Structures are given as C-alpha cells and as structure tokens.
Amino acid sequence: MKEAENNNTLDPACSVDEPPFSKIILKNLDLMGIWLFALLTLMTVIANLVFVEEVCYIYHKIPSSKRSIFIWINAAAPVIATTSCIGMWIPRSTMFTDFTAAVFFAIVIHKFLIMMIKECGGQKLFLRHFKNDHFKISTGPCCCCCLCLPYIRINRKTLFLLKLGTFQFAFLRPVLMFLSIVLWTNGNYNLSDLSLSGAAIWINCFIGVLTIIALWPIGIMFQQVRVLLNCKKIIPKFALYEFVLVLSQLQAAIINILAMQGVIACAPPLSPSARGAYINQQLLIMEMFLITLTSRVVYRKRYDDLDLSLDPDQETKVLYISKHHEKIQDFIVLLQFSFQ
C-alpha cells in the first residue's frame, strides 16, 4: 500500500502543472468516466437547444428594443456550459475557454443593468418616475456595512455613473484577459504562481477590484427597482444572475486555491491544478444546465411595458377619472335621451 502511494507521489504528471492532451484523457477513461462525459456533453447540447428555442421565443414575443439584451443575458449559462464542455474534452484549452466565459459574463453584467432600466420604460421614463427619489448606495458588495453613506439624487449624471461602473468592467476585462494570454504564451503568467514577481497575482487582484466596482451599480439599481419591477419577476432574474456570477467566478477561485494547497490530490494523468479545473468544468456544466432550464421559465412570460409616463399625482387623477368615467357616460346618455 505504501509503495503504491509513493508511486503516485512520484508520478511525473503530479509535478507538472500543464494539463495533458485530450487523447491521454480519453485513453484513461473507465466505463464510469465514459458515461459521465457522455451525460455532461448531452446536458450541454440540451442547454444550447433550449437557448435556441428561447431566442426564437424572444424574437417573436419581446419588443425589438429588448431582444438583444434578453438574448445576451439568457446566453450566459449556455455559453459557460459550452466553454466548460470544451475544456473538459480538451484540457489544454482551459486557459482560452475560461477567459472566453469570463469576458462574455463581463458583458452580461453591463447588459443586466441596462435591462433593469429598459424594463422601467427606458432612461427618460426611469428618470421621470424617480425624479424625486434618491439612490441608496450603502449596498453590496462594496458598502453594505456603511449605513452612514448619504443617499444620492437620481438624475442623468448619477445614472451615467452607474452605467459607467458596469461598462468599465465589460471593456477592461477583455483587455486584461488578452494581456494574460499574451503573457501566458511567453511563460510569464501562471495561476499557480502567487509570488509578487508573478503577473498572475497582480492581474487577478486588479480584476477583483474591477469586479467589485461593476457589481456595486447592479446592487444599487436592484434596490431601487425591485418593488416596481416585481411584476416582471426581477427578483428571480436577479437571483439567477447572482447564481451564475458566484458559480462561474467564486467556485473556480475556491477550487483553484484548494488545488494549490494540496487539498485536491493528484490523479494521473491530471496534476492537482489540472484536476481542479477538471472538477470545476464538470460542476459548471451541471449547474449551468439547471440555470438554463430555470431561465427559460423565468424569462418565458411576455410582459406589457410599464406605463411610467405620468407623475404620481397625475396617476391619481387618471385613476379618479377612470373610476367615474362610466357614470359620466351614463349621465350624458341620459341627457341626450331627455332632450330627444
């Protein structure tokens, strides 16, 4: 037994961080592994088919001003499932598949903020409806404990700053991902190298700061519109967005840390870091499959646009007039009949 353990620790695959070729992975699969690969691939195919069907529904049922935004948001889970499936079959493509999923979801974060504004009728109606209100900025993930922060007035400037907060992430994340790939090809970027002289720790820390800055406007906007957009299932939509965020970003980071600390053991031909990425990809396929099916239910119902064109006082007057509209019509008919 001890000799077997020593052989495992001395296996060359355990001392190399580079993932193996796909033919080596497929050659070492047992019957259970073959069934698992087949099942996860089938889940990915079904998730993409469900997304295609959802795109057809959005194209026919959703107004043209919202189609692209809804398609982008609904595509997050299928895209992450697809990149994870490719990384599972071709382990050496993990760097590119992870970066592709990360860049795509960075754009989705910005699209989700725009969706909440669009669901309120657009920027003009949003500003008109909330012109006397203020944004609560003491929300997560930045300032959830800073209750002393003042409320800021809702106007074009503050709304522009919120959109800028998510747009900077959608713009800078692809730039940093491209820089990481360039450094990786030159041997200067390695996720397992957390020394101060390595590029990975500095780039990842900068990405972490940008992520927090981008998530803050989402939390601020959600706190403002969650009651108004309750009829449009904004809470389930926000929950799905949070699930995709946590599972695609935080889960991968936790598994990577466990692999570097030796908690995830080597399993030849997979090194600890390669096995950690392998486990994360398989989990993501199952999780994104379930989120895709749930998104189809949440985004399926067609909603009428909110009418925010009137002020609250005007809405009260309109409601009062509509209640007495039938009585006025009856009175007019009665007068006409009496004159006849």
Side-chain angles (χ1 to χ4, degrees):
M1 188 69 180
K2 291 182 178 179
E3 292 180 358
E5 291 179 358
N6 291 333
N7 290 334
N8 287 335
T9 55
L10 296 175
D11 195 291
C14 297
S15 58
V16 179
D17 287 332
E18 192 172 358
F21 290 102
S22 56
K23 61 181 181 180
I24 299 176
I25 291 291
L26 297 176
K27 189 181 295 184
N28 285 271
L29 285 178
D30 55 6
L31 183 61
M32 182 64 70
I34 294 174
W35 278 104
L36 181 61
F37 265 56
L39 179 62
L40 294 176
T41 305
L42 180 62
M43 284 184 175
T44 305
V45 172
I46 293 174
N48 281 277
L49 291 176
V50 171
F51 170 67
V52 171
E53 191 270 340
E54 186 66 15
V55 169
C56 294
Y57 177 85
I58 291 173
Y59 183 79
H60 289 97
K61 302 294 183 179
I62 303 298
S64 58
S65 60
K66 302 179 183 178
R67 285 175 191 165
S68 63
I69 297 175
F70 275 49
I71 290 173
W72 271 95
I73 296 174
N74 278 272
V79 166
I80 294 174
T82 303
T83 55
S84 299
C85 186
I86 295 173
M88 180 183 69
W89 282 98
I90 309 175
R92 292 208 173 194
S93 67
T94 300
M95 177 71 72
F96 299 95
T97 56
D98 288 351
F99 283 176
T100 302
V103 168
F104 188 89
F105 192 70
I107 300 173
V108 170
I109 290 177
H110 179 64
K111 293 289 185 180
F112 194 86
L113 178 70
I114 301 300
M115 184 200 73
M116 288 190 285
I117 298 174
K118 287 281 187 181
E119 290 286 69
C120 292
Q123 180 171 318
K124 290 183 179 179
L125 291 180
F126 177 86
L127 292 173
R128 186 181 301 175
H129 184 77
F130 293 107
K131 65 180 181 179
N132 297 321
D133 293 344
H134 293 74
F135 282 126
K136 178 185 177 183
I137 62 175
S138 57
T139 61
C142 287
C143 307
C144 54
C145 298
C146 303
L147 301 178
C148 59
L149 289 177
Y151 285 61
I152 59 174
R153 189 175 182 83
I154 298 177
N155 51 39
R156 291 183 180 274
K157 181 180 178 180
T158 53
L159 192 60
F160 172 77
L161 291 176
L162 291 182
K163 291 193 287 187
L164 183 63
T166 54
F167 180 78
Q168 56 83 22
F169 189 59
F171 175 76
L172 292 176
R173 184 79 184 262
V175 174
L176 292 173
M177 294 295 97
F178 177 76
L179 177 62
S180 300
I181 292 177
V182 172
L183 294 176
W184 175 71
T185 57
N186 197 45
N188 302 115
Y189 184 90
N190 187 0
L191 286 174
S192 60
D193 183 14
L194 298 180
S195 62
L196 295 178
S197 59
I201 187 170
W202 295 106
I203 292 178
N204 288 331
C205 288
F206 190 51
I207 290 176
V209 173
L210 294 180
T211 304
I212 293 175
I213 295 174
L215 296 180
W216 193 19
I218 298 288
I220 294 173
M221 182 62 69
F222 175 72
Q223 291 292 330
Q224 188 67 37
V225 303
R226 63 178 180 178
V227 176
L228 179 66
L229 298 182
N230 188 41
C231 61
K232 297 196 174 186
K233 297 184 179 179
I234 191 61
I235 295 178
K237 290 176 182 177
F238 183 78
L240 288 174
Y241 151 81
E242 288 286 330
F243 276 128
V244 176
L245 172 67
V246 171
L247 294 174
S248 63
Q249 306 297 320
L250 188 59
Q251 176 179 276
I254 292 174
I255 292 177
N256 187 40
I257 292 173
L258 293 177
M260 288 189 295
Q261 295 298 322
V263 177
I264 297 177
C266 173
L270 295 171
S271 64
S273 59
R275 190 184 177 201
Y278 186 71
I279 293 172
N280 180 56
Q281 289 158 355
Q282 293 180 338
L283 290 175
L284 280 176
I285 292 173
M286 293 183 284
E287 293 159 353
M288 295 303 119
F289 171 75
L290 296 176
I291 290 176
T292 302
L293 297 181
T294 308
S295 297
R296 183 184 181 277
V297 177
V298 173
Y299 286 87
R300 191 66 175 177
K301 186 177 178 181
R302 182 180 180 181
Y303 304 99
D304 296 328
D305 290 336
L306 288 176
D307 186 10
L308 304 182
S309 57
L310 298 177
D311 294 334
D313 294 335
Q314 293 175 321
E315 291 176 357
T316 304
K317 294 178 183 178
V318 170
L319 183 61
Y320 176 82
I321 293 173
S322 63
K323 286 181 179 179
H324 296 81
H325 182 66
E326 293 182 0
K327 295 182 179 180
I328 295 172
Q329 280 187 333
D330 293 340
F331 180 72
I332 293 174
V333 171
L334 182 60
L335 286 177
Q336 289 177 347
F337 181 76
S338 61
F339 281 115
Q340 290 177 357

